[in-house]
């Protein structure tokens, strides 16, 4: 056993059950992003706040692909960039990952997870002057709830953090102009489902625009009504509650991962 393997093997023994649960969810999120075609080799990053440790968050070791991420392989870091726990000899943090994620976790105490991608569809829409259009029900989920952040170069300057937080505001999704997509959630599940739907919205917009036909948009009041309806899952559960996005989907997604490869739980 290598020292890295030994370090990863010891992680579960030194974290509490709540942190381990978040680690499993975050590792699952990495695997799902890869499974749904939203990863970029070793680039991009997803983070989750450590329960009970407001200043600490978990993020991927820079150099591992998303399909390799496990619960014990994640690095724990604080908002100042100090590594609290890293079981790896050969991997450390991605600097843009630290800048972007420390900004959001530091500025939005309600956020439990931050997810950033560089998908072709997301990058394409980020470069369109019109941004994301409310062309369909899925895209209307983000109407009025989407921030935009202008490109400033590779996000390695800590001074950009203030502007990232300001541009995200109270939204749960943001388009990074000429760069990619970013979503947040109170849970890992919510951030993932937000990203999946934002990505689908971008893909569908590009398909629609490529048809070369005039675009049909619903009436403005209908778009606004749909946005309000979609702030939470619009179908009530058996107790009549409207659930947060991700609550209903996440158990099914974990079952799907477990059928394919449960190693993310290690």
């Amino acid at each position: 056993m290598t020292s890295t393997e030994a370090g990863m093997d010891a992680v579960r023994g030194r974290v509490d059950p709540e942190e381990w649960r978040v680690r499993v969810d975050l590792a699952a999120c990495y695997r799902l992003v890869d499974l749904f075609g939203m990863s970029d080799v070793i680039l991009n990053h997803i983070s989750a706040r450590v329960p009970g440790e407001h200043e600490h968050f978990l993020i991927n070791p820079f150099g591992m692909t998303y399909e390799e991420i496990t619960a014990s392989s994640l690095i724990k870091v604080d908002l100042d960039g100090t590594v609290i726990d890293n079981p790896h000899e050969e991997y450390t943090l991605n600097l843009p990952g630290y800048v972007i994620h420390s900004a959001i976790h530091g500025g939005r105490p309600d956020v439990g997870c931050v997810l950033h991608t560089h998908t072709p569809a997301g990058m394409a829409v980020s470069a369109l002057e019109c941004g994301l259009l409310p062309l369909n029900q899925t895209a209307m989920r983000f109407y009025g709830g989407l921030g935009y952040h202008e490109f400033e170069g590779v996000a390695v300057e800590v001074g950009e953090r203030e502007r990232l937080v300001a541009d995200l505001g109270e939204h749960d999704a943001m388009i990074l102009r000429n760069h990619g997509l970013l979503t947040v959630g109170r849970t890992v599940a919510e951030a993932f489902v937000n990203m999946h739907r934002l990505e689908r919205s971008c893909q569908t917009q590009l398909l629609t625009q490529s048809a070369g036909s005039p675009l049909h948009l619903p009436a403005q009041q209908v778009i606004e009504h749909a946005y309000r309806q979609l702030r939470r899952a619009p179908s009530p559960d058996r107790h009549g509650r409207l659930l947060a996005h991700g609550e209903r989907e996440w158990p099914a997604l974990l079952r799907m991962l477990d059928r394919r490869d449960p190693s993310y739980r290690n």
Side-chain angles (χ1 to χ4, degrees), residues 223-236:
I223 295 171
E224 293 172 0
H225 176 58
Y227 168 70
R228 291 190 296 270
Q229 288 179 310
L230 293 166
R231 293 302 295 152
R232 298 179 76 81
S235 295

Side-chain angles (χ1 to χ4, degrees), residues 14-252:
R14 62 176 180 261
V15 303
D16 65 35
E18 276 301 295
E19 178 177 334
W20 186 255
R21 178 188 60 78
V22 171
R23 282 176 171 270
V24 170
D25 279 348
L26 184 55
C29 191
Y30 277 101
R31 300 292 185 98
L32 288 165
V33 167
D34 188 62
L35 183 63
F36 282 92
M38 295 187 286
S39 60
D40 188 9
V41 194
I42 63 169
L43 300 178
N44 296 151
H45 10 83
I46 315 168
S47 64
R49 196 186 302 274
V50 177
E53 301 177 29
H54 181 77
E55 303 294 313
H56 296 168
F57 62 92
L58 303 164
I59 199 165
N60 54 312
F62 188 40
M64 295 181 72
T65 62
Y66 279 23
E67 69 174 2
E68 296 179 288
I69 301 295
T70 66
S72 59
S73 71
L74 297 160
I75 295 175
K76 187 190 296 188
V77 62
D78 70 14
L79 297 179
D80 293 323
T82 301
V83 174
I84 307 301
D85 192 352
N86 181 3
H88 309 280
E89 289 184 332
E90 66 273 44
Y91 302 130
T92 185
L93 295 175
N94 175 305
L95 182 54
Y98 161 69
V99 170
I100 293 170
H101 292 259
S102 64
I104 307 304
H105 285 295
R108 285 280 302 273
D110 60 310
V111 165
C113 180
V114 183
L115 202 168
H116 170 50
T117 62
H118 288 169
T119 62
M123 290 189 289
V125 170
S126 79
L128 296 177
E129 185 63 33
C130 64
L132 185 69
L133 298 172
L135 292 171
N136 51 68
Q137 177 176 282
T138 304
M140 290 175 210
R141 154 76 180 85
F142 300 100
Y143 181 83
L146 182 65
Y148 287 86
H149 176 70
E150 288 295 330
F151 186 63
E152 300 184 21
V154 179
V156 294
E157 305 293 338
V158 294
E160 189 176 353
R161 294 190 294 183
E162 181 178 347
R163 294 180 291 279
L164 281 162
V165 173
D167 290 336
L168 178 62
E170 296 302 311
H171 304 317
D172 53 14
M174 183 161 67
I175 290 180
L176 306 176
R177 287 292 194 180
N178 309 99
H179 185 176
L181 306 178
L182 182 144
T183 60
V184 302
R186 286 162 294 182
T187 63
V188 174
E190 188 173 32
F192 174 78
V193 168
N194 286 341
M195 180 59 75
H196 182 260
R197 291 176 183 160
L198 182 58
E199 171 67 17
R200 282 294 184 91
S201 300
C202 290
Q203 292 173 350
T204 305
Q205 176 169 322
L206 296 175
L207 285 170
T208 306
Q209 290 175 315
S210 70
S213 179
L215 302 178
H216 175 78
L217 291 172
Q220 184 66 25
Q221 63 267 28
V222 173
I223 295 171
E224 293 172 0
H225 176 58
Y227 168 70
R228 291 190 296 270
Q229 288 179 310
L230 293 166
R231 293 302 295 152
R232 298 179 76 81
S235 295
D237 70 1
R238 62 192 181 94
H239 301 292
R241 299 172 301 178
L242 296 180
L243 303 177
H245 293 293
E247 284 191 46
R248 187 175 275 123
E249 296 93 337
W250 197 245

